[in-house]
PDB file of all heavy atoms in Angstrom:
ATOM      1  N   MET A   1     109.843 120.523  66.742  1.00  0.00           N
ATOM      2  CA  MET A   1     108.662 120.939  67.446  1.00  0.00           C
ATOM      3  C   MET A   1     107.455 120.651  66.583  1.00  0.00           C
ATOM      4  O   MET A   1     107.383 121.129  65.429  1.00  0.00           O
ATOM      5  CB  MET A   1     108.810 122.355  67.911  1.00  0.00           C
ATOM      6  CG  MET A   1     107.684 122.840  68.696  1.00  0.00           C
ATOM      7  SD  MET A   1     108.239 124.434  69.411  1.00  0.00           S
ATOM      8  CE  MET A   1     106.734 125.366  69.154  1.00  0.00           C
ATOM      9  N   ILE A  18      97.831 110.940  72.330  1.00  0.00           N
ATOM     10  CA  ILE A  18      97.382 110.879  73.712  1.00  0.00           C
ATOM     11  C   ILE A  18      97.121 112.311  74.247  1.00  0.00           C
ATOM     12  O   ILE A  18      96.159 112.506  74.937  1.00  0.00           O
ATOM     13  CB  ILE A  18      98.408 110.094  74.595  1.00  0.00           C
ATOM     14  CG1 ILE A  18      97.769 109.745  75.968  1.00  0.00           C
ATOM     15  CG2 ILE A  18      99.718 110.847  74.714  1.00  0.00           C
ATOM     16  CD1 ILE A  18      98.619 108.785  76.781  1.00  0.00           C
ATOM     17  N   GLY A  19      97.928 113.254  73.809  1.00  0.00           N
ATOM     18  CA  GLY A  19      97.655 114.597  74.252  1.00  0.00           C
ATOM     19  C   GLY A  19      96.367 115.164  73.595  1.00  0.00           C
ATOM     20  O   GLY A  19      95.613 115.902  74.344  1.00  0.00           O
ATOM     21  N   LEU A  21      93.801 113.245  72.952  1.00  0.00           N
ATOM     22  CA  LEU A  21      92.729 112.524  73.694  1.00  0.00           C
ATOM     23  C   LEU A  21      92.484 113.300  75.028  1.00  0.00           C
ATOM     24  O   LEU A  21      91.366 113.412  75.431  1.00  0.00           O
ATOM     25  CB  LEU A  21      93.161 111.146  74.033  1.00  0.00           C
ATOM     26  CG  LEU A  21      92.808 110.052  73.020  1.00  0.00           C
ATOM     27  CD1 LEU A  21      93.417 108.686  73.493  1.00  0.00           C
ATOM     28  CD2 LEU A  21      91.298 109.937  72.817  1.00  0.00           C
ATOM     29  N   LEU A  24      90.355 116.212  74.245  1.00  0.00           N
ATOM     30  CA  LEU A  24      88.960 115.790  73.838  1.00  0.00           C
ATOM     31  C   LEU A  24      88.131 115.364  75.063  1.00  0.00           C
ATOM     32  O   LEU A  24      86.959 115.611  75.101  1.00  0.00           O
ATOM     33  CB  LEU A  24      89.012 114.740  72.792  1.00  0.00           C
ATOM     34  CG  LEU A  24      89.423 115.125  71.433  1.00  0.00           C
ATOM     35  CD1 LEU A  24      89.725 113.829  70.593  1.00  0.00           C
ATOM     36  CD2 LEU A  24      88.298 115.992  70.809  1.00  0.00           C
ATOM     37  N   THR A  25      88.738 114.629  75.989  1.00  0.00           N
ATOM     38  CA  THR A  25      88.023 113.968  77.039  1.00  0.00           C
ATOM     39  C   THR A  25      88.080 114.690  78.372  1.00  0.00           C
ATOM     40  O   THR A  25      87.264 114.366  79.284  1.00  0.00           O
ATOM     41  CB  THR A  25      88.514 112.510  77.256  1.00  0.00           C
ATOM     42  OG1 THR A  25      89.928 112.539  77.676  1.00  0.00           O
ATOM     43  CG2 THR A  25      88.378 111.699  75.954  1.00  0.00           C
ATOM     44  N   VAL A  27      90.370 114.161  80.448  1.00  0.00           N
ATOM     45  CA  VAL A  27      91.125 113.249  81.355  1.00  0.00           C
ATOM     46  C   VAL A  27      92.568 113.599  81.245  1.00  0.00           C
ATOM     47  O   VAL A  27      93.126 113.868  80.182  1.00  0.00           O
ATOM     48  CB  VAL A  27      90.882 111.761  80.823  1.00  0.00           C
ATOM     49  CG1 VAL A  27      91.703 110.831  81.685  1.00  0.00           C
ATOM     50  CG2 VAL A  27      89.428 111.441  80.936  1.00  0.00           C
ATOM     51  N   LEU A  32      95.617 108.881  81.187  1.00  0.00           N
ATOM     52  CA  LEU A  32      95.544 108.189  79.892  1.00  0.00           C
ATOM     53  C   LEU A  32      96.789 107.263  79.685  1.00  0.00           C
ATOM     54  O   LEU A  32      96.670 106.156  79.199  1.00  0.00           O
ATOM     55  CB  LEU A  32      95.338 109.194  78.796  1.00  0.00           C
ATOM     56  CG  LEU A  32      94.044 109.974  78.735  1.00  0.00           C
ATOM     57  CD1 LEU A  32      94.058 110.939  77.657  1.00  0.00           C
ATOM     58  CD2 LEU A  32      92.807 108.985  78.683  1.00  0.00           C
ATOM     59  N   LYS A  33      97.924 107.802  80.049  1.00  0.00           N
ATOM     60  CA  LYS A  33      99.170 107.020  79.943  1.00  0.00           C
ATOM     61  C   LYS A  33      99.066 105.803  80.830  1.00  0.00           C
ATOM     62  O   LYS A  33      99.436 104.667  80.414  1.00  0.00           O
ATOM     63  CB  LYS A  33     100.357 107.896  80.268  1.00  0.00           C
ATOM     64  CG  LYS A  33     101.688 107.173  80.057  1.00  0.00           C
ATOM     65  CD  LYS A  33     102.828 108.134  80.205  1.00  0.00           C
ATOM     66  CE  LYS A  33     104.155 107.343  80.022  1.00  0.00           C
ATOM     67  NZ  LYS A  33     105.270 108.149  80.277  1.00  0.00           N
ATOM     68  N   GLU A  47     106.030 103.186  63.024  1.00  0.00           N
ATOM     69  CA  GLU A  47     107.428 102.871  63.240  1.00  0.00           C
ATOM     70  C   GLU A  47     108.361 104.047  63.042  1.00  0.00           C
ATOM     71  O   GLU A  47     109.360 104.166  63.753  1.00  0.00           O
ATOM     72  CB  GLU A  47     107.825 101.710  62.288  1.00  0.00           C
ATOM     73  CG  GLU A  47     107.217 100.371  62.713  1.00  0.00           C
ATOM     74  CD  GLU A  47     107.679  99.283  61.877  1.00  0.00           C
ATOM     75  OE1 GLU A  47     108.837  99.302  61.404  1.00  0.00           O
ATOM     76  OE2 GLU A  47     106.915  98.356  61.592  1.00  0.00           O
ATOM     77  N   THR A  51     105.269 107.415  67.449  1.00  0.00           N
ATOM     78  CA  THR A  51     104.090 108.064  68.087  1.00  0.00           C
ATOM     79  C   THR A  51     102.960 107.096  68.250  1.00  0.00           C
ATOM     80  O   THR A  51     102.588 106.399  67.255  1.00  0.00           O
ATOM     81  CB  THR A  51     103.641 109.237  67.180  1.00  0.00           C
ATOM     82  OG1 THR A  51     104.725 110.171  67.131  1.00  0.00           O
ATOM     83  CG2 THR A  51     102.463 109.997  67.814  1.00  0.00           C
ATOM     84  N   ARG A  53      99.229 106.229  68.312  1.00  0.00           N
ATOM     85  CA  ARG A  53      98.000 106.828  67.725  1.00  0.00           C
ATOM     86  C   ARG A  53      96.838 106.000  68.156  1.00  0.00           C
ATOM     87  O   ARG A  53      96.828 104.737  68.207  1.00  0.00           O
ATOM     88  CB  ARG A  53      98.062 106.855  66.215  1.00  0.00           C
ATOM     89  CG  ARG A  53      99.259 107.570  65.678  1.00  0.00           C
ATOM     90  CD  ARG A  53      99.391 107.535  64.134  1.00  0.00           C
ATOM     91  NE  ARG A  53      98.875 106.384  63.593  1.00  0.00           N
ATOM     92  CZ  ARG A  53      98.214 106.330  62.370  1.00  0.00           C
ATOM     93  NH1 ARG A  53      98.122 107.425  61.699  1.00  0.00           N
ATOM     94  NH2 ARG A  53      97.750 105.236  61.899  1.00  0.00           N
ATOM     95  N   MET A  60      87.624 107.133  72.619  1.00  0.00           N
ATOM     96  CA  MET A  60      86.781 108.088  73.440  1.00  0.00           C
ATOM     97  C   MET A  60      85.640 107.368  74.106  1.00  0.00           C
ATOM     98  O   MET A  60      85.332 107.533  75.261  1.00  0.00           O
ATOM     99  CB  MET A  60      86.233 109.238  72.569  1.00  0.00           C
ATOM    100  CG  MET A  60      87.309 110.217  72.308  1.00  0.00           C
ATOM    101  SD  MET A  60      86.729 111.623  71.298  1.00  0.00           S
ATOM    102  CE  MET A  60      85.552 112.423  72.422  1.00  0.00           C
ATOM    103  N   ILE A  63      87.078 105.352  76.954  1.00  0.00           N
ATOM    104  CA  ILE A  63      87.401 106.206  78.122  1.00  0.00           C
ATOM    105  C   ILE A  63      86.115 106.487  78.899  1.00  0.00           C
ATOM    106  O   ILE A  63      86.135 106.531  80.171  1.00  0.00           O
ATOM    107  CB  ILE A  63      88.128 107.464  77.662  1.00  0.00           C
ATOM    108  CG1 ILE A  63      89.561 107.109  77.121  1.00  0.00           C
ATOM    109  CG2 ILE A  63      88.206 108.538  78.748  1.00  0.00           C
ATOM    110  CD1 ILE A  63      90.209 108.172  76.363  1.00  0.00           C
ATOM    111  N   ARG A  65      83.438 104.720  79.128  1.00  0.00           N
ATOM    112  CA  ARG A  65      83.101 103.511  79.872  1.00  0.00           C
ATOM    113  C   ARG A  65      83.951 103.310  81.095  1.00  0.00           C
ATOM    114  O   ARG A  65      83.487 103.023  82.152  1.00  0.00           O
ATOM    115  CB  ARG A  65      83.239 102.334  78.922  1.00  0.00           C
ATOM    116  CG  ARG A  65      82.901 100.989  79.543  1.00  0.00           C
ATOM    117  CD  ARG A  65      81.469 100.732  79.617  1.00  0.00           C
ATOM    118  NE  ARG A  65      81.121  99.384  80.046  1.00  0.00           N
ATOM    119  CZ  ARG A  65      80.465  99.052  81.121  1.00  0.00           C
ATOM    120  NH1 ARG A  65      79.893 100.053  81.829  1.00  0.00           N
ATOM    121  NH2 ARG A  65      80.295  97.835  81.499  1.00  0.00           N
ATOM    122  N   LYS A  67      85.545 105.683  82.777  1.00  0.00           N
ATOM    123  CA  LYS A  67      85.170 106.749  83.697  1.00  0.00           C
ATOM    124  C   LYS A  67      83.881 106.356  84.449  1.00  0.00           C
ATOM    125  O   LYS A  67      83.805 106.511  85.725  1.00  0.00           O
ATOM    126  CB  LYS A  67      84.903 108.060  83.051  1.00  0.00           C
ATOM    127  CG  LYS A  67      86.194 108.786  82.653  1.00  0.00           C
ATOM    128  CD  LYS A  67      86.094 109.973  81.693  1.00  0.00           C
ATOM    129  CE  LYS A  67      85.127 111.020  82.168  1.00  0.00           C
ATOM    130  NZ  LYS A  67      85.137 112.162  81.215  1.00  0.00           N
ATOM    131  N   ALA A  68      82.877 105.821  83.724  1.00  0.00           N
ATOM    132  CA  ALA A  68      81.648 105.386  84.380  1.00  0.00           C
ATOM    133  C   ALA A  68      81.894 104.260  85.425  1.00  0.00           C
ATOM    134  O   ALA A  68      81.362 104.324  86.501  1.00  0.00           O
ATOM    135  CB  ALA A  68      80.646 104.918  83.384  1.00  0.00           C
ATOM    136  N   THR A  75      87.588  99.063  90.862  1.00  0.00           N
ATOM    137  CA  THR A  75      89.070  99.202  90.879  1.00  0.00           C
ATOM    138  C   THR A  75      89.556  98.974  89.484  1.00  0.00           C
ATOM    139  O   THR A  75      88.856  98.495  88.570  1.00  0.00           O
ATOM    140  CB  THR A  75      89.727  98.161  91.803  1.00  0.00           C
ATOM    141  OG1 THR A  75      89.444  96.852  91.278  1.00  0.00           O
ATOM    142  CG2 THR A  75      89.169  98.288  93.216  1.00  0.00           C
ATOM    143  N   ILE A  76      90.845  99.319  89.242  1.00  0.00           N
ATOM    144  CA  ILE A  76      91.399  99.106  87.893  1.00  0.00           C
ATOM    145  C   ILE A  76      91.336  97.590  87.535  1.00  0.00           C
ATOM    146  O   ILE A  76      90.944  97.270  86.392  1.00  0.00           O
ATOM    147  CB  ILE A  76      92.871  99.629  87.852  1.00  0.00           C
ATOM    148  CG1 ILE A  76      92.833 101.224  87.924  1.00  0.00           C
ATOM    149  CG2 ILE A  76      93.579  99.224  86.573  1.00  0.00           C
ATOM    150  CD1 ILE A  76      92.114 101.919  86.779  1.00  0.00           C
TER     151      ILE A  76
END
Side-chain angles (χ1 to χ4, degrees):
M1 184 165 136
I18 194 168
L21 271 178
L24 286 167
T25 63
V27 176
L32 294 175
K33 186 173 179 186
E47 289 183 33
T51 300
R53 301 176 333 143
M60 286 180 64
I63 291 167
R65 179 80 172 120
K67 284 170 53 175
T75 65
I76 293 298

